[in-house]
Amino acid sequence: MTSVLITGGTVTTASEQYVADVFLDDGVIVQIGANLQVAADTVVQAEGQYVIPGGIDVHTHLGETVFRTITADSWESGTVAAAFGGTTTVVDFARQEREGMSPIEAIEHRRRQAESQAVIDYGFHLMATNLDSQEYLEELAALPGEGVTSFKLLMAYPGTMMVDDLTIFRAMQVAADTNAIVTLHAENGHVIQQITDQFAAAGRVQEHMHMHAHPHLVEGEATHRGIAMAEMAGSAVYIVHLSSRTALTEVEAAKARGQAVYAETCPQYLFAAYEDYENAGFEAAKYICSPPIRERANQDELWRGIETGALSVIATDHCTFRMQDDLAELPPQKPMGKGDFRYIPNGVPGVENRMHLMYQGGVVEGRYDMMRFVDLNCTMPAKLFGLYPRKGIIAIGADADVVVWDPNADYTIEAATHHMRVDYNLYEGMQVSGRPSTVISRGEIIVSGEEFLGQIGRGQYIRRSTPYVLDHPQSVTAR
């Protein structure tokens, strides 16, 4: 393994900034200091640039069979795209099939899919759909010891991925006992289904109507219910892809009470809006995801939640489907729902542009500083999901996952040049300032400018530890 010396950059963590050289050897950060006199195989000059930890996206769906099809981005294309955007670790999902698949089998199945393709490091949340047996509960309790310290449960998609409150509460009790964390897709799936059925009966199934089938209150109610169950179980809870000001209010209230509640939001909820697709016909399918991309006025509340710390993490929910069925190796994509939102695969691209967007919208536009940018995109994801201090920080002994970020590099986001395997970009034509000039994963330069230098399959599965920041409250139920 080669050594790398990064010279003259502004080292930026979630808590401090200073000018220094950083020496990487044998896959880890070995030295940090001024004017280091060391021999290195490669020297990266970073004067005038930031040296930050590699980005961590804790919500992706790569090479996943979902919504009666399969995502356009495989583990190969998705992790290459992530690397070009400055992300060096993803935490994806291992979905437990309702019948015949145990929690441990779900993890093993997804590891086999990823191991020969991933370019960057990866881990998994278990997506639990069946915890009815004592055997499965015992396996769930064993997963944190095997490096899987987060469990996802869905309160939406009845009949496929949705679980009932009893299953959620059981998982939360296990999480409380094992110091794991439960992540929730918080929407009331039964109410959404009823509204959708009523829209269908009235012939109101045009693409843009998807947003109206997911009103703010279905997210707010489910968030409230999930937080209440976590309090009863004594578990920490993490709300994924929070999109609504109503749900944000529930998170803020719980945090004010001192409850261990965390939430992420995603770039699509901050930079895209219902007004962008309300009258777009089938083009609206580009924006279809759940929870939905809401009205533009909602964006200000989410930005406020980021600024106050009520929202802890920026993830993407990267789940890509093409607008054209033009690749023979892929099953039908977005066109399967043309004219009827009920059949449009839910998901939008984002893994490549997450850090571009959050630098532009946060640092460039003055909403927060560079240290907060690092915290949202690198450090808090690592702390919450058991990757810290191995990842998410520039410190001696940490993995040499390092991004040299050029704040002066202008970049136009467009599908023609992105590396994702999807044939559109939600932010087409948007001009941003700031992008990675060098991306390093475990001491290996995998992206230099526009050139990909990594090897397919070099990514490693990461056994995650106990979440770093969790302080579980005492359960309010007798056990």
Side-chain angles (χ1 to χ4, degrees), residues 231-243:
E231 184 176 11
M232 288 185 282
S235 166
V237 64
Y238 177 96
I239 307 300
V240 301
H241 50 43
L242 188 148
S243 77

Side-chain angles (χ1 to χ4, degrees), residues 45-245:
Q45 295 182 342
E47 290 81 2
Q49 302 182 73
Y50 296 109
V51 179
I52 65 174
I56 300 172
D57 191 342
V58 294
H59 192 152
T60 62
H61 300 273
L62 301 177
E64 186 174 349
T65 300
V66 63
F67 299 114
R68 306 174 304 282
T69 184
I70 189 168
T71 57
D73 271 313
S74 64
W75 277 94
E76 178 180 329
S77 65
T79 56
V80 168
F84 271 98
T87 291
T88 57
T89 305
V90 295
V91 186
D92 206 282
F93 296 90
R95 179 159 56 97
Q96 176 199 20
E97 302 298 339
R98 286 185 178 273
E99 300 295 335
M101 180 178 282
S102 73
I104 289 176
E105 288 172 336
I107 299 294
E108 292 173 346
H109 173 68
R110 285 291 275 166
R111 281 190 66 177
R112 288 192 296 270
Q113 288 183 317
E115 61 188 4
S116 64
Q117 297 186 46
V119 169
I120 60 176
D121 291 350
Y122 58 95
F124 295 107
H125 313 280
L126 174 75
M127 187 186 294
T129 61
N130 180 3
L131 298 177
D132 292 342
S133 72
Q134 184 62 31
E135 177 187 357
Y136 284 179
L137 285 171
E138 290 173 357
E139 283 199 13
L140 190 70
L143 283 178
E146 299 298 320
V148 179
T149 54
S150 51
F151 319 139
K152 182 182 182 182
L153 297 105
L154 288 88
M155 305 169 86
Y157 305 117
T160 55
M161 294 179 284
M162 179 176 169
V163 297
D164 59 21
D165 288 354
L166 177 58
T167 300
I168 294 170
F169 188 69
R170 284 172 171 162
M172 286 176 167
Q173 288 187 319
V174 171
D177 289 342
T178 59
N179 208 29
I181 188 168
V182 166
T183 79
L184 283 182
H185 177 143
E187 290 186 288
N188 189 316
H190 289 307
V191 172
I192 292 168
Q193 188 62 60
Q194 177 69 5
I195 295 171
T196 298
D197 290 347
Q198 290 170 345
F199 281 170
R204 301 176 65 199
V205 291
Q206 299 91 341
E207 290 85 351
H208 73 96
M209 290 300 295
H210 173 267
M211 198 273 294
H212 297 281
H214 296 247
H216 284 271
L217 279 173
V218 300
E219 191 175 347
E221 182 279 330
T223 301
H224 176 88
R225 181 161 37 103
I227 289 171
M229 285 190 285
E231 184 176 11
M232 288 185 282
S235 166
V237 64
Y238 177 96
I239 307 300
V240 301
H241 50 43
L242 188 148
S243 77
S244 168
R245 59 182 179 268

Side-chain angles (χ1 to χ4, degrees), residues 235-265:
S235 166
V237 64
Y238 177 96
I239 307 300
V240 301
H241 50 43
L242 188 148
S243 77
S244 168
R245 59 182 179 268
T246 307
L248 178 61
T249 298
E250 298 292 341
V251 170
E252 290 172 327
K255 291 177 81 70
R257 296 193 301 269
Q259 195 172 342
V261 176
Y262 307 91
E264 71 183 24
T265 195

